[in-house]
Amino acid sequence: SATKEDKFCVHESGSPPKVQLHLSFEDLIERVSKLINPKDSNQTPRDEHVATLDVQKLILCLTARRATSVLSDINGPSLKLSKEMVERLVVIWLAGVPGDACKSLPSSIKCVLLTGEPRITADAFLSGNRLQEHLRPEGQARLEHSSGGCAKSELLLSLKQMRENSFPIPSLSAISTDKARTTKFGRFIYKFEHAEKCYLSYYKDFSATTPSEDAPMYSIDCEMVKTTKDHMALGRVSIIDEKLVCVYDSYVLPPDPILDYMTQYSGIIPQDLSGVTTTLENVQRRILTLIPPDAILIGQSLENDLCALQFSHPYIIDTSILFVSPHQSFKPSLVSLAYMFLKRKMKRGKNGHNSVTDASVCMELVQAKLIAGPKMMLSYAGPEISILQLLTAVGVRSIMVDSTGNVNRYSQGNTHSYKVHNDHRALWCVQRFQDGDFGWVQLLGYQQAVQSGSKNLASKIGQLQDAVQFVLSSLPSKTLTFVIYEGSTEEPFKLAITYKH
């Protein structure tokens, strides 16, 4: 059964959507079968929903040599015909590209369009945990709770974890004592250089410190803006205490002119910083009067917030790491953690994040973990499974063209992988798709342009459409291709399915 977040709409290319209906997996196979078979290609335009899991199952069914033994409940003449006609399946993932961009696909490309309501990331699509759950119930993800609870010290990041996640840590060779800045807590403040910036800390050596179980906890969340000099600078900081009271919330004036308020992520608009005089140094002074030396700091990927604050601290609980097993390399989003453990849906719209809300959710997650115990986590019967691993298990030869991070995370077994840093290199590598049963390429050009603050995104859309056309033209016959427009926080994504006869 599919939730609303897992559903797409499907309608014929060039035709207006009509009545919305649920599209079953068998119906999806039928639609693809008609697209593949030119003798029976007239389909009635409809606006229907299909689950993400069904799209993943379709990939498995059409590429696997032994799919019927894995998905024993799936069979039929349409699937048999499609398997005979499809020699390979390719996914072209367009990172961050608005769903409406699919309207500029060449009219010569006959396809079925699936319109998605929520945005889905490449990470979510490549994850095979839900598919594994469908195939092998004994391997399904399970949410475990225990009634024993746990101590705060058990949730702290180790010094090794802090280094691995790029937390600012004092260097003994570069540290100095600022005796003029003794805090109300009777402690000197240490200063040290890190990444060409001056950081403050209560401690000069993190390896010999341990907080008490009575140590207070504070949750911190920061929002950033882009400036002319400093790539990202602090724009807002919020601090929440254990009673979920906001003890500090302030907009911050960056030292350099602002290029981009990053509203879609930060939630900050120009009016918010109009007349603001609070500087980073003012924020640091407030932190030193509010947070005692033995305090435990909480946050989601807190290393980014501490770097923005230019503040270093040894006692850290990071919610992006707290609920994930050590053998899993991914970091779950705060939205997914809130939904999974707090049964709360966090809104992420065009107005961006709210630092007070995010900090509060982090605090609630940690408090829930302290009560439930160490087994309250996203745990699996085995390591995280990707679609590529499942395809390998059924004899599929896969070829992956993606960033270094995705290749390292997902490419395993019978997968030939190519690590690329730009779309030009990716397009050169897709020629290898003819040697496999399944191909995956992620084009990151548009997303990189957005992140760099490019103002000429329309031209990037045009370049991407040319790239899609290039990939489609370079593929051998009998190739079924999924072109996925990832979408953004403001628009849904779309999936175009096309077949090369």
mmCIF file with all atom_site columns, all heavy atoms in Angstrom, residues 224-239:
data_model
loop_
_atom_site.group_PDB
_atom_site.id
_atom_site.type_symbol
_atom_site.label_atom_id
_atom_site.label_alt_id
_atom_site.label_comp_id
_atom_site.label_asym_id
_atom_site.label_entity_id
_atom_site.label_seq_id
_atom_site.pdbx_PDB_ins_code
_atom_site.Cartn_x
_atom_site.Cartn_y
_atom_site.Cartn_z
_atom_site.occupancy
_atom_site.B_iso_or_equiv
_atom_site.pdbx_formal_charge
_atom_site.auth_seq_id
_atom_site.auth_comp_id
_atom_site.auth_asym_id
_atom_site.auth_atom_id
_atom_site.pdbx_PDB_model_num
ATOM 1   N N   . MET A 1 224 ? 22.088 29.944 7.064  1.00 0.00 ? 224 MET A N   1
ATOM 2   C CA  . MET A 1 224 ? 23.180 30.657 6.402  1.00 0.00 ? 224 MET A CA  1
ATOM 3   C C   . MET A 1 224 ? 22.683 31.483 5.217  1.00 0.00 ? 224 MET A C   1
ATOM 4   O O   . MET A 1 224 ? 21.645 31.199 4.625  1.00 0.00 ? 224 MET A O   1
ATOM 5   C CB  . MET A 1 224 ? 24.238 29.665 5.895  1.00 0.00 ? 224 MET A CB  1
ATOM 6   C CG  . MET A 1 224 ? 24.524 28.499 6.810  1.00 0.00 ? 224 MET A CG  1
ATOM 7   S SD  . MET A 1 224 ? 25.217 28.966 8.389  1.00 0.00 ? 224 MET A SD  1
ATOM 8   C CE  . MET A 1 224 ? 25.380 27.335 9.148  1.00 0.00 ? 224 MET A CE  1
ATOM 9   N N   . VAL A 1 225 ? 23.481 32.495 4.877  1.00 0.00 ? 225 VAL A N   1
ATOM 10  C CA  . VAL A 1 225 ? 23.280 33.268 3.657  1.00 0.00 ? 225 VAL A CA  1
ATOM 11  C C   . VAL A 1 225 ? 24.605 33.286 2.903  1.00 0.00 ? 225 VAL A C   1
ATOM 12  O O   . VAL A 1 225 ? 25.659 33.004 3.472  1.00 0.00 ? 225 VAL A O   1
ATOM 13  C CB  . VAL A 1 225 ? 22.819 34.707 3.960  1.00 0.00 ? 225 VAL A CB  1
ATOM 14  C CG1 . VAL A 1 225 ? 21.449 34.706 4.608  1.00 0.00 ? 225 VAL A CG1 1
ATOM 15  C CG2 . VAL A 1 225 ? 23.830 35.434 4.846  1.00 0.00 ? 225 VAL A CG2 1
ATOM 16  N N   . LYS A 1 226 ? 24.522 33.595 1.619  1.00 0.00 ? 226 LYS A N   1
ATOM 17  C CA  . LYS A 1 226 ? 25.728 33.631 0.795  1.00 0.00 ? 226 LYS A CA  1
ATOM 18  C C   . LYS A 1 226 ? 26.202 35.063 0.638  1.00 0.00 ? 226 LYS A C   1
ATOM 19  O O   . LYS A 1 226 ? 25.426 35.954 0.287  1.00 0.00 ? 226 LYS A O   1
ATOM 20  C CB  . LYS A 1 226 ? 25.442 33.024 -0.577 1.00 0.00 ? 226 LYS A CB  1
ATOM 21  C CG  . LYS A 1 226 ? 26.673 32.888 -1.452 1.00 0.00 ? 226 LYS A CG  1
ATOM 22  C CD  . LYS A 1 226 ? 26.325 32.197 -2.760 1.00 0.00 ? 226 LYS A CD  1
ATOM 23  C CE  . LYS A 1 226 ? 27.557 32.043 -3.631 1.00 0.00 ? 226 LYS A CE  1
ATOM 24  N NZ  . LYS A 1 226 ? 27.225 31.379 -4.917 1.00 0.00 ? 226 LYS A NZ  1
ATOM 25  N N   . THR A 1 227 ? 27.493 35.307 0.909  1.00 0.00 ? 227 THR A N   1
ATOM 26  C CA  . THR A 1 227 ? 28.057 36.661 0.832  1.00 0.00 ? 227 THR A CA  1
ATOM 27  C C   . THR A 1 227 ? 29.113 36.754 -0.252 1.00 0.00 ? 227 THR A C   1
ATOM 28  O O   . THR A 1 227 ? 29.521 35.750 -0.836 1.00 0.00 ? 227 THR A O   1
ATOM 29  C CB  . THR A 1 227 ? 28.674 37.068 2.182  1.00 0.00 ? 227 THR A CB  1
ATOM 30  O OG1 . THR A 1 227 ? 29.824 36.235 2.449  1.00 0.00 ? 227 THR A OG1 1
ATOM 31  C CG2 . THR A 1 227 ? 27.676 36.918 3.313  1.00 0.00 ? 227 THR A CG2 1
ATOM 32  N N   . THR A 1 228 ? 29.572 37.985 -0.488 1.00 0.00 ? 228 THR A N   1
ATOM 33  C CA  . THR A 1 228 ? 30.562 38.203 -1.546 1.00 0.00 ? 228 THR A CA  1
ATOM 34  C C   . THR A 1 228 ? 31.924 37.632 -1.187 1.00 0.00 ? 228 THR A C   1
ATOM 35  O O   . THR A 1 228 ? 32.672 37.198 -2.056 1.00 0.00 ? 228 THR A O   1
ATOM 36  C CB  . THR A 1 228 ? 30.712 39.712 -1.814 1.00 0.00 ? 228 THR A CB  1
ATOM 37  O OG1 . THR A 1 228 ? 31.032 40.371 -0.581 1.00 0.00 ? 228 THR A OG1 1
ATOM 38  C CG2 . THR A 1 228 ? 29.421 40.288 -2.372 1.00 0.00 ? 228 THR A CG2 1
ATOM 39  N N   . LYS A 1 229 ? 32.253 37.618 0.099  1.00 0.00 ? 229 LYS A N   1
ATOM 40  C CA  . LYS A 1 229 ? 33.580 37.198 0.515  1.00 0.00 ? 229 LYS A CA  1
ATOM 41  C C   . LYS A 1 229 ? 33.585 35.793 1.106  1.00 0.00 ? 229 LYS A C   1
ATOM 42  O O   . LYS A 1 229 ? 34.326 34.918 0.672  1.00 0.00 ? 229 LYS A O   1
ATOM 43  C CB  . LYS A 1 229 ? 34.120 38.190 1.558  1.00 0.00 ? 229 LYS A CB  1
ATOM 44  C CG  . LYS A 1 229 ? 35.619 38.202 1.671  1.00 0.00 ? 229 LYS A CG  1
ATOM 45  C CD  . LYS A 1 229 ? 36.032 39.371 2.558  1.00 0.00 ? 229 LYS A CD  1
ATOM 46  C CE  . LYS A 1 229 ? 37.502 39.679 2.377  1.00 0.00 ? 229 LYS A CE  1
ATOM 47  N NZ  . LYS A 1 229 ? 37.904 40.813 3.247  1.00 0.00 ? 229 LYS A NZ  1
ATOM 48  N N   . ASP A 1 230 ? 32.736 35.610 2.076  1.00 0.00 ? 230 ASP A N   1
ATOM 49  C CA  . ASP A 1 230 ? 32.631 34.309 2.735  1.00 0.00 ? 230 ASP A CA  1
ATOM 50  C C   . ASP A 1 230 ? 31.543 33.520 2.006  1.00 0.00 ? 230 ASP A C   1
ATOM 51  O O   . ASP A 1 230 ? 30.422 33.991 1.901  1.00 0.00 ? 230 ASP A O   1
ATOM 52  C CB  . ASP A 1 230 ? 32.261 34.502 4.197  1.00 0.00 ? 230 ASP A CB  1
ATOM 53  C CG  . ASP A 1 230 ? 32.413 33.213 4.988  1.00 0.00 ? 230 ASP A CG  1
ATOM 54  O OD1 . ASP A 1 230 ? 32.890 32.226 4.420  1.00 0.00 ? 230 ASP A OD1 1
ATOM 55  O OD2 . ASP A 1 230 ? 32.040 33.222 6.162  1.00 0.00 ? 230 ASP A OD2 1
ATOM 56  N N   . HIS A 1 231 ? 31.881 32.356 1.508  1.00 0.00 ? 231 HIS A N   1
ATOM 57  C CA  . HIS A 1 231 ? 30.916 31.609 0.686  1.00 0.00 ? 231 HIS A CA  1
ATOM 58  C C   . HIS A 1 231 ? 29.569 31.478 1.391  1.00 0.00 ? 231 HIS A C   1
ATOM 59  O O   . HIS A 1 231 ? 28.530 31.746 0.819  1.00 0.00 ? 231 HIS A O   1
ATOM 60  C CB  . HIS A 1 231 ? 31.478 30.232 0.347  1.00 0.00 ? 231 HIS A CB  1
ATOM 61  C CG  . HIS A 1 231 ? 30.568 29.441 -0.545 1.00 0.00 ? 231 HIS A CG  1
ATOM 62  N ND1 . HIS A 1 231 ? 30.254 29.841 -1.822 1.00 0.00 ? 231 HIS A ND1 1
ATOM 63  C CD2 . HIS A 1 231 ? 29.898 28.282 -0.337 1.00 0.00 ? 231 HIS A CD2 1
ATOM 64  C CE1 . HIS A 1 231 ? 29.433 28.967 -2.377 1.00 0.00 ? 231 HIS A CE1 1
ATOM 65  N NE2 . HIS A 1 231 ? 29.200 28.016 -1.489 1.00 0.00 ? 231 HIS A NE2 1
ATOM 66  N N   . MET A 1 232 ? 29.581 31.050 2.644  1.00 0.00 ? 232 MET A N   1
ATOM 67  C CA  . MET A 1 232 ? 28.361 30.979 3.445  1.00 0.00 ? 232 MET A CA  1
ATOM 68  C C   . MET A 1 232 ? 28.630 31.646 4.785  1.00 0.00 ? 232 MET A C   1
ATOM 69  O O   . MET A 1 232 ? 29.662 31.399 5.404  1.00 0.00 ? 232 MET A O   1
ATOM 70  C CB  . MET A 1 232 ? 27.930 29.523 3.654  1.00 0.00 ? 232 MET A CB  1
ATOM 71  C CG  . MET A 1 232 ? 27.623 28.770 2.364  1.00 0.00 ? 232 MET A CG  1
ATOM 72  S SD  . MET A 1 232 ? 26.239 29.458 1.442  1.00 0.00 ? 232 MET A SD  1
ATOM 73  C CE  . MET A 1 232 ? 24.877 28.908 2.450  1.00 0.00 ? 232 MET A CE  1
ATOM 74  N N   . ALA A 1 233 ? 27.698 32.476 5.225  1.00 0.00 ? 233 ALA A N   1
ATOM 75  C CA  . ALA A 1 233 ? 27.874 33.190 6.491  1.00 0.00 ? 233 ALA A CA  1
ATOM 76  C C   . ALA A 1 233 ? 26.628 33.045 7.349  1.00 0.00 ? 233 ALA A C   1
ATOM 77  O O   . ALA A 1 233 ? 25.523 32.820 6.843  1.00 0.00 ? 233 ALA A O   1
ATOM 78  C CB  . ALA A 1 233 ? 28.162 34.670 6.231  1.00 0.00 ? 233 ALA A CB  1
ATOM 79  N N   . LEU A 1 234 ? 26.806 33.191 8.654  1.00 0.00 ? 234 LEU A N   1
ATOM 80  C CA  . LEU A 1 234 ? 25.710 33.044 9.605  1.00 0.00 ? 234 LEU A CA  1
ATOM 81  C C   . LEU A 1 234 ? 24.656 34.135 9.389  1.00 0.00 ? 234 LEU A C   1
ATOM 82  O O   . LEU A 1 234 ? 24.973 35.320 9.312  1.00 0.00 ? 234 LEU A O   1
ATOM 83  C CB  . LEU A 1 234 ? 26.266 33.130 11.028 1.00 0.00 ? 234 LEU A CB  1
ATOM 84  C CG  . LEU A 1 234 ? 25.266 32.936 12.181 1.00 0.00 ? 234 LEU A CG  1
ATOM 85  C CD1 . LEU A 1 234 ? 24.709 31.528 12.154 1.00 0.00 ? 234 LEU A CD1 1
ATOM 86  C CD2 . LEU A 1 234 ? 25.948 33.237 13.518 1.00 0.00 ? 234 LEU A CD2 1
ATOM 87  N N   . GLY A 1 235 ? 23.381 33.714 9.282  1.00 0.00 ? 235 GLY A N   1
ATOM 88  C CA  . GLY A 1 235 ? 22.285 34.656 9.099  1.00 0.00 ? 235 GLY A CA  1
ATOM 89  C C   . GLY A 1 235 ? 21.271 34.616 10.225 1.00 0.00 ? 235 GLY A C   1
ATOM 90  O O   . GLY A 1 235 ? 20.552 35.584 10.459 1.00 0.00 ? 235 GLY A O   1
ATOM 91  N N   . ARG A 1 236 ? 21.195 33.462 10.906 1.00 0.00 ? 236 ARG A N   1
ATOM 92  C CA  . ARG A 1 236 ? 20.266 33.336 12.034 1.00 0.00 ? 236 ARG A CA  1
ATOM 93  C C   . ARG A 1 236 ? 20.733 32.199 12.928 1.00 0.00 ? 236 ARG A C   1
ATOM 94  O O   . ARG A 1 236 ? 21.248 31.187 12.440 1.00 0.00 ? 236 ARG A O   1
ATOM 95  C CB  . ARG A 1 236 ? 18.849 33.059 11.544 1.00 0.00 ? 236 ARG A CB  1
ATOM 96  C CG  . ARG A 1 236 ? 17.800 32.999 12.661 1.00 0.00 ? 236 ARG A CG  1
ATOM 97  C CD  . ARG A 1 236 ? 16.424 32.640 12.137 1.00 0.00 ? 236 ARG A CD  1
ATOM 98  N NE  . ARG A 1 236 ? 15.413 32.619 13.203 1.00 0.00 ? 236 ARG A NE  1
ATOM 99  C CZ  . ARG A 1 236 ? 14.143 32.263 13.023 1.00 0.00 ? 236 ARG A CZ  1
ATOM 100 N NH1 . ARG A 1 236 ? 13.717 31.894 11.823 1.00 0.00 ? 236 ARG A NH1 1
ATOM 101 N NH2 . ARG A 1 236 ? 13.297 32.266 14.040 1.00 0.00 ? 236 ARG A NH2 1
ATOM 102 N N   . VAL A 1 237 ? 20.543 32.332 14.229 1.00 0.00 ? 237 VAL A N   1
ATOM 103 C CA  . VAL A 1 237 ? 20.880 31.268 15.168 1.00 0.00 ? 237 VAL A CA  1
ATOM 104 C C   . VAL A 1 237 ? 19.769 31.159 16.206 1.00 0.00 ? 237 VAL A C   1
ATOM 105 O O   . VAL A 1 237 ? 19.249 32.171 16.682 1.00 0.00 ? 237 VAL A O   1
ATOM 106 C CB  . VAL A 1 237 ? 22.249 31.532 15.853 1.00 0.00 ? 237 VAL A CB  1
ATOM 107 C CG1 . VAL A 1 237 ? 22.260 32.889 16.524 1.00 0.00 ? 237 VAL A CG1 1
ATOM 108 C CG2 . VAL A 1 237 ? 22.562 30.433 16.857 1.00 0.00 ? 237 VAL A CG2 1
ATOM 109 N N   . SER A 1 238 ? 19.393 29.913 16.505 1.00 0.00 ? 238 SER A N   1
ATOM 110 C CA  . SER A 1 238 ? 18.354 29.651 17.509 1.00 0.00 ? 238 SER A CA  1
ATOM 111 C C   . SER A 1 238 ? 18.871 28.597 18.476 1.00 0.00 ? 238 SER A C   1
ATOM 112 O O   . SER A 1 238 ? 19.500 27.618 18.059 1.00 0.00 ? 238 SER A O   1
ATOM 113 C CB  . SER A 1 238 ? 17.064 29.164 16.852 1.00 0.00 ? 238 SER A CB  1
ATOM 114 O OG  . SER A 1 238 ? 16.590 30.108 15.911 1.00 0.00 ? 238 SER A OG  1
ATOM 115 N N   . ILE A 1 239 ? 18.580 28.802 19.779 1.00 0.00 ? 239 ILE A N   1
ATOM 116 C CA  . ILE A 1 239 ? 19.003 27.852 20.815 1.00 0.00 ? 239 ILE A CA  1
ATOM 117 C C   . ILE A 1 239 ? 17.789 27.474 21.659 1.00 0.00 ? 239 ILE A C   1
ATOM 118 O O   . ILE A 1 239 ? 17.055 28.351 22.136 1.00 0.00 ? 239 ILE A O   1
ATOM 119 C CB  . ILE A 1 239 ? 20.113 28.450 21.703 1.00 0.00 ? 239 ILE A CB  1
ATOM 120 C CG1 . ILE A 1 239 ? 21.314 28.863 20.848 1.00 0.00 ? 239 ILE A CG1 1
ATOM 121 C CG2 . ILE A 1 239 ? 20.546 27.447 22.767 1.00 0.00 ? 239 ILE A CG2 1
ATOM 122 C CD1 . ILE A 1 239 ? 22.436 29.522 21.644 1.00 0.00 ? 239 ILE A CD1 1
#
